[in-house]
Amino acid sequence: MSYVYTVARLRGMENHILDSAFFSRLMDSAGIDDAVKALGETSYSQWISGNNFDKAIDSEILATCEELERFVPDKGLVAIFRLPYDFHNVKVLLKGLFKVRGGEAEGRRYDLLSKLGTIDTDELTNAIETEEYGFLPYGLTDLIPQCWQLWDASKNAQAVELLIDHQMFRAMLDVAGSLNMPEVLRWVRCKIDAENLRSAVRLGRMNYDPAKALPFFHEGGNLRPDDVAKLLAEPQETWSRILSYTDIGGVLGALGDSGDMKAALSDVSKALDDYLVKVLEGAKYSMDAPENVLLFLLTKEAEARNMRVALVCVAGGLDREFGRRLLTSGRQ
């Protein structure tokens, strides 16, 4: 199936991606009013109502996904990007029901649901609250009862979240596999590696027992969960060297370069986000590579992430220099 027309459309859309110079100016805004004025020059302006920036940013990403779905031949490429938001919504709904059954009448938090998933939020809410899971995709039909069983047995919300995340990555691998696009499948495996290393860094900071860490890591990546868990028994500044045989190992270099652990963790998280974009950057040199769809969505997502960082810094009067360190790579 040819992607020449699709890629040509994406090249035109790329001209509207906000570049690093814009975010530098946004970060320098004297206050939130100046920041809103700057947003008036962008596509985000159509969504802004008051100071609800999160809703405006999500609306822009949703509009982008819906536009792509109108002309991308394989809708699964957009689904891979949107699928994690479905699993986020499952977590929100189940956590709310756990609280309700625990006696908290106001435990539900529908305001935390994201419209960015592939499943309509009203349909998903109704399915979970009425226990009618039969039509749900991505293995959710079997997963949700398992979550309830785990919760009833342990009352461990973190364990339930991990169970949901394990299935999310299995679903992403299944969708990628069905597309018969090797580079997209490779990207999903790299995403699993990135999430596992992100978790390892957090657990390392907590001095978590390596012998108990394996459940935190997901199958399906290029790195075995056992090997990631073993990193916790080693000093974090050596992790980059231990994983030097991998493409992703260099991302951990910040752990050995900084004495400020908070800054180091932020740098690693940013580097992992940048890495996942770079995995697909080779597609930019092809006018017929379907991976360009996913690459565009990741670039748009990085733009949204940068928007949130900048607006939080400006609105909250936070450290602008630290905020700049959190900005991920995007259009230059």
Side-chain angles (χ1 to χ4, degrees):
M1 186 176 297
S2 174
Y3 267 76
V4 172
Y5 171 75
T6 298
V7 175
R9 286 281 299 269
L10 292 173
R11 292 290 184 263
M13 294 172 69
E14 284 171 0
N15 292 327
H16 300 288
I17 294 288
L18 302 174
D19 59 19
S20 56
F22 173 84
F23 286 108
S24 180
R25 294 197 308 273
L26 189 64
M27 194 72 81
D28 288 334
S29 299
I32 197 62
D33 289 340
D34 286 344
V36 171
K37 188 179 297 184
L39 292 179
E41 307 167 8
T42 75
S43 58
Y44 291 83
S45 62
Q46 63 187 308
W47 313 114
I48 294 174
S49 176
N51 287 336
N52 194 341
F53 300 117
D54 278 335
K55 185 177 180 180
I57 292 169
D58 285 349
S59 295
E60 172 69 8
I61 297 298
L62 179 58
T64 299
C65 289
E66 291 175 343
E67 182 177 0
L68 264 60
E69 286 170 343
R70 287 193 285 269
F71 65 84
V72 170
D74 295 285
K75 303 300 185 286
L77 285 168
V78 183
I80 285 177
F81 173 80
R82 299 184 66 175
L83 186 152
Y85 295 99
D86 290 314
F87 283 82
H88 160 81
N89 289 339
V90 170
K91 290 180 184 179
V92 169
L93 291 167
L94 285 178
K95 283 181 179 179
L97 289 175
F98 293 162
K99 290 181 179 179
V100 169
R101 291 197 183 181
E104 295 184 37
E106 304 299 322
R108 294 179 175 87
R109 290 294 307 275
Y110 298 127
D111 58 305
L112 297 179
L113 295 174
S114 173
K115 297 291 186 181
L116 294 177
T118 65
I119 308 170
D120 179 81
T121 53
D122 290 337
E123 292 181 3
L124 182 62
T125 299
N126 184 64
I128 290 179
E129 293 189 346
T130 62
E131 300 185 14
E132 296 289 340
Y133 316 129
F135 75 93
L136 293 177
Y138 309 134
L140 292 173
T141 299
D142 296 325
L143 173 68
I144 295 171
Q146 292 172 16
C147 290
W148 275 112
Q149 291 171 9
L150 180 56
W151 173 254
D152 289 338
S154 68
K155 298 297 186 289
N156 187 331
Q158 184 180 59
V160 173
E161 281 204 36
L162 286 170
L163 181 62
I164 293 171
D165 286 341
H166 290 331
Q167 179 57 32
M168 178 188 75
F169 285 117
R170 282 194 290 268
M172 292 184 73
L173 286 168
D174 287 344
V175 174
S178 71
L179 294 172
N180 194 28
M181 298 175 183
E183 287 303 306
V184 173
L185 182 59
R186 173 175 171 262
W187 178 82
V188 174
R189 296 191 186 284
C190 290
K191 183 174 176 64
I192 295 171
D193 289 338
E195 184 57 33
N196 283 344
L197 289 181
R198 208 185 306 266
S199 296
V201 172
R202 288 195 296 263
L203 293 173
R205 186 186 185 194
M206 297 162 53
N207 294 316
Y208 201 85
D209 184 353
K212 300 178 180 178
L214 191 58
F216 287 88
F217 305 120
H218 313 291
E219 299 278 356
N222 301 298
L223 301 174
R224 296 192 318 158
D226 283 347
D227 291 335
V228 180
K230 289 175 183 176
L231 291 174
L232 296 176
E234 306 294 335
Q236 285 195 344
E237 60 269 20
T238 68
W239 290 7
S240 180
R241 177 176 55 78
I242 293 172
L243 295 179
S244 61
Y245 67 95
T246 69
D247 291 337
I248 201 171
V251 172
L252 300 176
L255 292 173
D257 297 334
S258 173
D260 182 346
M261 184 52 69
K262 179 182 177 182
L265 290 173
S266 299
D267 288 346
V268 169
S269 184
K270 171 182 176 294
L272 287 169
D273 291 334
D274 289 345
Y275 165 77
L276 290 174
V277 173
K278 291 175 182 175
V279 167
L280 293 173
E281 281 191 333
K284 291 192 301 185
Y285 304 104
S286 170
M287 287 299 294
D288 194 30
E291 305 92 76
N292 278 292
V293 176
L294 189 52
L295 178 60
F296 179 83
L297 284 167
L298 293 178
T299 304
K300 191 69 178 178
E301 185 178 50
E303 175 188 89
R305 190 161 47 241
N306 288 344
M307 187 73 75
R308 284 194 171 91
V309 169
L311 291 174
V312 166
C313 286
V314 173
L318 304 181
D319 184 347
R320 307 290 177 92
E321 289 310 308
F322 183 71
R324 291 179 196 279
R325 292 182 64 172
L326 298 178
L327 298 178
T328 54
S329 297
R331 182 167 173 259
Q332 301 300 312

